[in-house]
PDB file of all heavy atoms in Angstrom:
ATOM      1  N   HIS A 388     -19.326  11.314   5.154  1.00  0.00           N
ATOM      2  CA  HIS A 388     -18.870  12.672   4.875  1.00  0.00           C
ATOM      3  C   HIS A 388     -19.858  13.372   3.942  1.00  0.00           C
ATOM      4  O   HIS A 388     -20.818  12.769   3.465  1.00  0.00           O
ATOM      5  CB  HIS A 388     -17.471  12.636   4.267  1.00  0.00           C
ATOM      6  CG  HIS A 388     -16.471  11.908   5.104  1.00  0.00           C
ATOM      7  ND1 HIS A 388     -16.103  12.332   6.360  1.00  0.00           N
ATOM      8  CD2 HIS A 388     -15.769  10.763   4.871  1.00  0.00           C
ATOM      9  CE1 HIS A 388     -15.215  11.496   6.871  1.00  0.00           C
ATOM     10  NE2 HIS A 388     -14.993  10.533   5.992  1.00  0.00           N
ATOM     11  N   GLU A 389     -19.606  14.621   3.698  1.00  0.00           N
ATOM     12  CA  GLU A 389     -20.566  15.431   2.949  1.00  0.00           C
ATOM     13  C   GLU A 389     -20.783  14.923   1.532  1.00  0.00           C
ATOM     14  O   GLU A 389     -21.913  14.865   1.052  1.00  0.00           O
ATOM     15  CB  GLU A 389     -20.079  16.887   2.903  1.00  0.00           C
ATOM     16  CG  GLU A 389     -21.051  17.834   2.197  1.00  0.00           C
ATOM     17  CD  GLU A 389     -20.555  19.263   2.202  1.00  0.00           C
ATOM     18  OE1 GLU A 389     -19.492  19.534   2.811  1.00  0.00           O
ATOM     19  OE2 GLU A 389     -21.229  20.117   1.604  1.00  0.00           O
ATOM     20  N   HIS A 390     -19.700  14.525   0.852  1.00  0.00           N
ATOM     21  CA  HIS A 390     -19.816  14.153  -0.552  1.00  0.00           C
ATOM     22  C   HIS A 390     -19.641  12.666  -0.816  1.00  0.00           C
ATOM     23  O   HIS A 390     -19.814  12.221  -1.954  1.00  0.00           O
ATOM     24  CB  HIS A 390     -18.790  14.930  -1.384  1.00  0.00           C
ATOM     25  CG  HIS A 390     -18.941  16.421  -1.287  1.00  0.00           C
ATOM     26  ND1 HIS A 390     -20.045  17.085  -1.773  1.00  0.00           N
ATOM     27  CD2 HIS A 390     -18.137  17.373  -0.732  1.00  0.00           C
ATOM     28  CE1 HIS A 390     -19.918  18.387  -1.542  1.00  0.00           C
ATOM     29  NE2 HIS A 390     -18.774  18.584  -0.908  1.00  0.00           N
ATOM     30  N   PHE A 391     -19.283  11.886   0.188  1.00  0.00           N
ATOM     31  CA  PHE A 391     -19.083  10.450  -0.024  1.00  0.00           C
ATOM     32  C   PHE A 391     -19.105   9.727   1.313  1.00  0.00           C
ATOM     33  O   PHE A 391     -18.986  10.348   2.371  1.00  0.00           O
ATOM     34  CB  PHE A 391     -17.749  10.186  -0.739  1.00  0.00           C
ATOM     35  CG  PHE A 391     -16.543  10.463   0.121  1.00  0.00           C
ATOM     36  CD1 PHE A 391     -15.871   9.429   0.756  1.00  0.00           C
ATOM     37  CD2 PHE A 391     -16.075  11.768   0.310  1.00  0.00           C
ATOM     38  CE1 PHE A 391     -14.768   9.681   1.549  1.00  0.00           C
ATOM     39  CE2 PHE A 391     -14.974  12.030   1.095  1.00  0.00           C
ATOM     40  CZ  PHE A 391     -14.317  10.984   1.726  1.00  0.00           C
ATOM     41  N   ASN A 392     -19.270   8.415   1.238  1.00  0.00           N
ATOM     42  CA  ASN A 392     -19.211   7.566   2.423  1.00  0.00           C
ATOM     43  C   ASN A 392     -17.953   6.709   2.350  1.00  0.00           C
ATOM     44  O   ASN A 392     -17.713   6.020   1.356  1.00  0.00           O
ATOM     45  CB  ASN A 392     -20.443   6.663   2.507  1.00  0.00           C
ATOM     46  CG  ASN A 392     -21.716   7.444   2.770  1.00  0.00           C
ATOM     47  OD1 ASN A 392     -21.670   8.535   3.353  1.00  0.00           O
ATOM     48  ND2 ASN A 392     -22.848   6.915   2.343  1.00  0.00           N
ATOM     49  N   ASP A 393     -17.160   6.754   3.406  1.00  0.00           N
ATOM     50  CA  ASP A 393     -15.916   5.994   3.485  1.00  0.00           C
ATOM     51  C   ASP A 393     -16.157   4.774   4.367  1.00  0.00           C
ATOM     52  O   ASP A 393     -16.389   4.911   5.571  1.00  0.00           O
ATOM     53  CB  ASP A 393     -14.806   6.876   4.049  1.00  0.00           C
ATOM     54  CG  ASP A 393     -13.477   6.154   4.118  1.00  0.00           C
ATOM     55  OD1 ASP A 393     -13.369   5.059   3.533  1.00  0.00           O
ATOM     56  OD2 ASP A 393     -12.540   6.680   4.756  1.00  0.00           O
ATOM     57  N   TRP A 394     -16.077   3.577   3.773  1.00  0.00           N
ATOM     58  CA  TRP A 394     -16.351   2.362   4.532  1.00  0.00           C
ATOM     59  C   TRP A 394     -15.100   1.779   5.170  1.00  0.00           C
ATOM     60  O   TRP A 394     -15.165   0.716   5.800  1.00  0.00           O
ATOM     61  CB  TRP A 394     -17.009   1.319   3.616  1.00  0.00           C
ATOM     62  CG  TRP A 394     -18.357   1.750   3.156  1.00  0.00           C
ATOM     63  CD1 TRP A 394     -18.715   2.177   1.915  1.00  0.00           C
ATOM     64  CD2 TRP A 394     -19.540   1.839   3.961  1.00  0.00           C
ATOM     65  NE1 TRP A 394     -20.048   2.532   1.884  1.00  0.00           N
ATOM     66  CE2 TRP A 394     -20.582   2.327   3.129  1.00  0.00           C
ATOM     67  CE3 TRP A 394     -19.828   1.567   5.303  1.00  0.00           C
ATOM     68  CZ2 TRP A 394     -21.877   2.541   3.594  1.00  0.00           C
ATOM     69  CZ3 TRP A 394     -21.114   1.782   5.762  1.00  0.00           C
ATOM     70  CH2 TRP A 394     -22.118   2.254   4.912  1.00  0.00           C
ATOM     71  N   ALA A 395     -13.975   2.460   5.023  1.00  0.00           N
ATOM     72  CA  ALA A 395     -12.742   1.957   5.630  1.00  0.00           C
ATOM     73  C   ALA A 395     -12.805   1.915   7.162  1.00  0.00           C
ATOM     74  O   ALA A 395     -12.355   0.922   7.760  1.00  0.00           O
ATOM     75  CB  ALA A 395     -11.548   2.780   5.165  1.00  0.00           C
ATOM     76  N   PRO A 396     -13.306   2.944   7.860  1.00  0.00           N
ATOM     77  CA  PRO A 396     -13.322   2.878   9.338  1.00  0.00           C
ATOM     78  C   PRO A 396     -14.047   1.666   9.903  1.00  0.00           C
ATOM     79  O   PRO A 396     -13.484   0.966  10.768  1.00  0.00           O
ATOM     80  CB  PRO A 396     -13.976   4.204   9.740  1.00  0.00           C
ATOM     81  CG  PRO A 396     -13.634   5.133   8.620  1.00  0.00           C
ATOM     82  CD  PRO A 396     -13.709   4.291   7.386  1.00  0.00           C
ATOM     83  N   PRO A 397     -15.295   1.345   9.470  1.00  0.00           N
ATOM     84  CA  PRO A 397     -15.927   0.150  10.046  1.00  0.00           C
ATOM     85  C   PRO A 397     -15.218  -1.143   9.673  1.00  0.00           C
ATOM     86  O   PRO A 397     -15.115  -2.062  10.502  1.00  0.00           O
ATOM     87  CB  PRO A 397     -17.357   0.185   9.477  1.00  0.00           C
ATOM     88  CG  PRO A 397     -17.281   1.057   8.273  1.00  0.00           C
ATOM     89  CD  PRO A 397     -16.236   2.066   8.576  1.00  0.00           C
ATOM     90  N   VAL A 398     -14.715  -1.248   8.443  1.00  0.00           N
ATOM     91  CA  VAL A 398     -13.984  -2.458   8.053  1.00  0.00           C
ATOM     92  C   VAL A 398     -12.712  -2.596   8.886  1.00  0.00           C
ATOM     93  O   VAL A 398     -12.373  -3.694   9.349  1.00  0.00           O
ATOM     94  CB  VAL A 398     -13.653  -2.431   6.543  1.00  0.00           C
ATOM     95  CG1 VAL A 398     -12.748  -3.600   6.171  1.00  0.00           C
ATOM     96  CG2 VAL A 398     -14.924  -2.464   5.715  1.00  0.00           C
ATOM     97  N   TYR A 399     -12.024  -1.487   9.090  1.00  0.00           N
ATOM     98  CA  TYR A 399     -10.808  -1.522   9.890  1.00  0.00           C
ATOM     99  C   TYR A 399     -11.121  -1.929  11.330  1.00  0.00           C
ATOM    100  O   TYR A 399     -10.371  -2.702  11.941  1.00  0.00           O
ATOM    101  CB  TYR A 399     -10.121  -0.155   9.871  1.00  0.00           C
ATOM    102  CG  TYR A 399      -8.813  -0.133  10.618  1.00  0.00           C
ATOM    103  CD1 TYR A 399      -7.665  -0.658  10.052  1.00  0.00           C
ATOM    104  CD2 TYR A 399      -8.728   0.406  11.904  1.00  0.00           C
ATOM    105  CE1 TYR A 399      -6.452  -0.652  10.750  1.00  0.00           C
ATOM    106  CE2 TYR A 399      -7.531   0.416  12.599  1.00  0.00           C
ATOM    107  CZ  TYR A 399      -6.402  -0.115  12.009  1.00  0.00           C
ATOM    108  OH  TYR A 399      -5.221  -0.112  12.711  1.00  0.00           O
ATOM    109  N   ALA A 400     -12.226  -1.424  11.871  1.00  0.00           N
ATOM    110  CA  ALA A 400     -12.606  -1.772  13.246  1.00  0.00           C
ATOM    111  C   ALA A 400     -12.854  -3.269  13.384  1.00  0.00           C
ATOM    112  O   ALA A 400     -12.380  -3.906  14.336  1.00  0.00           O
ATOM    113  CB  ALA A 400     -13.848  -0.981  13.653  1.00  0.00           C
TER     114      ALA A 400
END
Side-chain angles (χ1 to χ4, degrees):
H388 305 296
E389 183 179 356
H390 301 294
F391 70 100
N392 292 334
D393 182 12
W394 294 107
V398 173
Y399 183 78

